[in-house]
Amino acid sequence: MREYTQYLKDLGSRLSHEMKTPLAVVQSSLDNLEMEQKPEFLQRAQVGTKRLRFILNQLSELNQLKYTLEQTPKQKLDLVALIQALSESYQSFIPNIKSELHLQPLMINGSPELLAQLVDKLIDNARDFVTHEGHILISLTKNKEKIKLKVFNTDSQLPNNGLNIFDSLVSVREKHSKTNIHLGLGLYLVQLITRYHNATVKAENSHNPKGVTFTIEFNQSITI
């Protein structure tokens, strides 16, 4: 409850900051458009509106996920089949993505929809940092009773400042980001979904090759 209360406090401040600029852009562009009828002002207003829509969509996604976590029952599923299907779909629009998956089915109790959302968030995060010359690797392994799902991307490093990147409203993106707005909710959603599956998540720097690895560790598999 203390974490959630602090999250709400931070959210108001962050939203005020994030929405101030696009609102000003929209208002000034509409004012100029009314006076001068120039198409570039309309374009600026459309960009500002798009940024506001992005912010609201992220907040809506967070609220929807919290409701889903309360309502979604767990089911028996093959994690290998799920990750294989996701990897194939990513390859259709991410040319520099690879996969290394366990050869046999790995069964867990969970939600395929929530797990797909988790992997989507990790892939989106990786795409924000990887260069055209780099690559993204999805891997799935089993060691004794533990299953490890990893998403690795080259070309980036985590800051060495004690920052918990899985906290809400935390973002380490700067000039590398492909979009101008990040409320820091993507990895926070990853953490919520991970906890729902009684799993753990961590992020570590790699040096050969240089990059970052996100690891989801499922504590127990089940028999087929």
Side-chain angles (χ1 to χ4, degrees), residues 143-154:
N143 182 11
K144 296 182 179 179
E145 290 301 313
K146 293 186 181 294
I147 298 173
K148 291 186 178 182
L149 168 63
K150 296 184 178 182
V151 175
F152 167 78
N153 68 269
T154 58

Side-chain angles (χ1 to χ4, degrees), residues 6-23:
Q6 186 60 47
Y7 160 75
L8 292 177
K9 292 179 180 179
D10 293 341
L11 181 61
S13 175
R14 186 67 177 269
L15 282 178
S16 176
H17 173 75
E18 291 287 358
M19 299 181 77
K20 186 179 297 182
T21 298
L23 280 172

Side-chain angles (χ1 to χ4, degrees), residues 7 11 14-15 55 57-63 65 121 165-171 173 182-192:
Y7 160 75
L11 181 61
R14 186 67 177 269
L15 282 178
I55 292 172
N57 285 343
Q58 283 205 314
L59 294 174
S60 176
E61 184 177 8
L62 175 61
N63 290 332
L65 175 60
K121 293 298 181 186
I165 62 173
F166 296 102
D167 283 346
S168 59
L169 304 178
V170 170
S171 177
R173 292 169 175 82
H182 282 281
L183 298 182
L185 296 180
L187 294 181
Y188 180 58
L189 296 178
V190 167
Q191 181 173 250
L192 290 179

Side-chain angles (χ1 to χ4, degrees), residues 38-57:
K38 291 187 176 181
E40 61 266 27
F41 294 132
L42 179 59
Q43 184 177 9
R44 290 175 192 169
Q46 290 172 338
V47 170
T49 303
K50 183 178 180 181
R51 293 175 64 187
L52 291 172
R53 188 180 299 113
F54 177 84
I55 292 172
L56 294 174
N57 285 343

